[in-house]
Amino acid sequence: MANTKIKCKCGGKIVSDKTLIEGFLVDCLKCQKCDEILFSPKQAKDVLRLREKNKRIEAKRKIIKVGSSIAAILPKKIEDFGVKEGMIDTIRILSSNSLEIKFKKDLF
Ligand SMILES: [Zn+2]
């Protein structure tokens, strides 16, 4: 986590962090003292971009059985982001009703 030189209005030190906004996990700046969350112009733009990208792939999906595993079918449009088979790095539980699928490289 890189430290920034910006100070919070409370005088606290601001550090890079990640936060969930609208269900998106995004980079943000956080005051270590009062927990105020701030976004740099680039980070604010990233939230808009995520919302836009998500609109394109949002859909209800089924889970199917493949051999002894189960599989979730990803929308075909996700290929536009360069996603190919074998690219998944890690999968973890993000919240009580969501999983995070992390890819080996940035999608955009
Ligand atoms: Zn503060």
Side-chain angles (χ1 to χ4, degrees):
M1 301 264 162
N3 286 352
T4 64
K5 283 170 192 158
I6 321 162
K7 282 240 162 134
C8 179
K9 51 184 183 278
C10 78
K13 202 168 148 195
I14 302 236
V15 293
S16 297
D17 206 338
K18 282 193 179 278
T19 190
L20 273 174
I21 178 164
E22 298 173 24
F24 301 123
L25 186 66
V26 292
D27 290 327
C28 69
L29 301 169
K30 188 178 174 186
C31 173
Q32 282 185 317
K33 210 167 140 191
C34 71
D35 284 345
E36 169 111 338
I37 302 274
L38 304 159
F39 294 101
S40 72
K42 189 198 166 289
Q43 288 167 343
K45 224 163 129 186
D46 284 348
V47 175
L48 295 177
R49 212 159 57 140
L50 276 173
R51 195 190 286 154
E52 184 57 38
K53 300 269 183 198
N54 196 55
K55 248 186 238 159
R56 289 171 52 193
I57 63 156
E58 220 172 19
K60 287 210 188 301
R61 294 284 144 183
K62 279 183 186 159
I63 290 190
I64 60 165
K65 202 161 164 48
V66 181
S68 59
S69 301
I70 53 168
I73 309 300
L74 296 174
K76 176 94 177 143
K77 279 180 187 160
I78 210 163
E79 280 182 344
D80 296 351
F81 301 152
V83 171
K84 293 184 180 75
E85 52 183 294
M87 269 182 54
I88 291 172
D89 193 15
T90 56
I91 296 178
R92 66 181 186 121
I93 294 168
L94 194 59
S95 72
S96 62
N97 68 354
S98 66
L99 291 175
E100 177 190 64
I101 301 175
K102 209 164 193 167
F103 294 98
K104 288 173 184 157
K105 65 176 190 81
D106 287 342
L107 299 186
F108 52 86

